[in-house]
């Protein structure tokens, strides 16, 4: 079956450093991915997306990289701030559903 | 513009009881989805409505779960009778256009605890 997963359950970074959160997927036909951020007590919030015709996309302080050869994507957060503390999910976006990975909890310490 | 809202935010019930969760999607959104996250695991798809019709309910765990979307507006998810393993956070999401991969906007979730 298809799956989307994350490498690490927890990532701890110092405020101001860059964070890299990784995700792997199994279906080589997957063509649309989204990163979501979930803060405590809230629902997942869209951060950035990328389609398979791209290998990099940048937003404000965030960059998503897609490596189709090894079926891997990553989320890079520049100058990590305390407000970035949350659980981050990668998800494959299909027409009728999202398939989520297990999530990485990002902890930012001063 | 109001986001996706869910009610209640928390529900604590005993095994065997019935609970009904409600979701109000963003106004005008054709697609409405239910997901749940149990015990710190991944968020899993339950079902998808396009307007009032069930498009895909392949993620529904069993027949104790019943979802409706009367009139294509708000949706309810009823669990009857609830079991211990139903505990988790139930999320609702909506997106604008049917047949597309528009961004899904999530509500805050309902935390269900079955004792």
């Amino acid at each position: 079956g298809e799956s989307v997963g994350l490498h690490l359950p927890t990532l701890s970074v110092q405020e101001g450093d860059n964070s890299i959160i990784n995700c792997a997927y199994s279906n080589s036909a997957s063509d649309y991915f989204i990163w979501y951020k979930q803060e405590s007590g809230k629902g997942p919030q869209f951060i950035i997306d990328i389609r398979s015709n791209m290998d990099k996309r940048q937003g404000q302080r965030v960059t998503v990289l897609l490596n189709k050869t090894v079926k891997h994507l990553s989320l890079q957060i520049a100058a990590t701030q305390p407000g970035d503390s949350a659980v981050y999910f990668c998800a494959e976006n299909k027409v009728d559903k999202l398939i989520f990975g297990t999530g990485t909890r990002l902890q930012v310490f001063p | 513009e109001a986001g996706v809202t869910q009610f209640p935010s928390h529900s604590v019930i005993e095994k065997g009881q019935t609970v009904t969760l409600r979701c109000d999607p963003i106004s005008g959104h054709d697609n409405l989805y239910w997901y749940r996250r149990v015990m710190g695991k991944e968020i899993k798809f339950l079902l998808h409505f396009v307007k009032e019709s069930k498009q895909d309910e392949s993620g529904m765990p069993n027949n104790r779960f019943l979802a409706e979307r009367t009139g294509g507006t708000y949706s309810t998810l009823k669990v009857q009778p609830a079991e211990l393993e139903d505990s988790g956070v139930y999320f609702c999401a909506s997106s604008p256009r049917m047949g597309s991969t528009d961004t899904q906007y999530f509500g805050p979730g309902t935390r269900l605890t079955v004792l």
Side-chain angles (χ1 to χ4, degrees):
Chain A
E2 57 199 7
S3 69
V4 178
L6 284 170
H7 290 304
L8 293 174
T10 303
L11 176 66
S12 295
V13 299
Q14 190 167 22
E15 182 178 356
D17 286 353
N18 297 332
S19 303
I20 300 176
I21 301 171
N22 296 300
C23 182
Y25 60 97
S26 62
N27 186 354
S28 57
S30 300
D31 62 359
Y32 186 20
F33 298 93
I34 300 180
W35 281 98
Y36 281 89
K37 171 186 180 183
Q38 186 185 3
E39 297 174 276
S40 180
K42 297 182 180 180
Q45 178 184 9
F46 173 91
I47 303 174
I48 191 167
D49 59 359
I50 189 166
R51 294 187 183 270
S52 59
N53 61 350
M54 304 175 71
D55 52 20
K56 180 179 180 179
R57 191 157 188 228
Q58 288 185 291
Q60 187 177 15
R61 284 200 307 117
V62 295
T63 300
V64 55
L65 300 178
L66 176 62
N67 185 329
K68 294 178 285 295
T69 302
V70 295
K71 292 182 281 189
H72 178 274
L73 67 158
S74 66
L75 177 70
Q76 301 178 4
I77 304 174
T80 311
Q81 302 170 0
D84 295 327
S85 295
V87 178
Y88 289 81
F89 296 93
C90 65
E92 180 187 354
N93 191 0
K94 309 182 79 148
V95 172
D96 57 350
K97 68 183 76 169
L98 292 167
I99 300 174
F100 283 89
T102 51
T104 290
R105 178 173 297 279
L106 178 64
Q107 298 175 323
V108 182
F109 57 92
Chain B
E1 177 182 276
V4 177
T5 58
Q6 293 186 245
F7 181 83
S9 57
H10 294 83
S11 180
V12 181
I13 61 173
E14 293 188 349
K15 175 183 173 180
Q17 290 186 321
T18 298
V19 63
T20 301
L21 313 181
R22 173 171 170 143
C23 168
D24 286 80
I26 294 173
S27 177
H29 280 195
D30 287 336
N31 297 295
L32 188 149
Y33 306 83
W34 284 98
Y35 296 85
R36 76 172 178 179
R37 188 180 186 205
V38 296
M39 287 299 293
K41 295 186 178 179
E42 68 269 28
I43 300 170
K44 284 199 169 180
F45 167 81
L46 296 178
L47 88 159
H48 169 211
F49 283 100
V50 175
K51 297 186 178 181
E52 69 276 7
S53 299
K54 291 177 185 174
Q55 183 77 10
D56 180 354
E57 52 184 329
S58 62
M60 295 287 264
N62 50 61
N63 59 10
R64 295 185 293 103
F65 289 74
L66 176 64
E68 295 180 323
R69 191 183 182 195
T70 306
T73 55
Y74 71 92
S75 174
T76 58
L77 179 64
K78 182 162 71 173
V79 185
Q80 179 183 29
E83 299 289 345
L84 300 179
E85 64 265 25
D86 301 332
S87 296
V89 182
Y90 289 77
F91 293 106
C92 175
S94 71
S95 67
R97 303 168 299 167
M98 56 183 170
S100 76
T101 53
D102 289 341
T103 299
Q104 294 185 27
Y105 297 91
F106 281 77
T110 293
R111 180 173 294 277
L112 175 64
T113 302
V114 183
L115 303 176

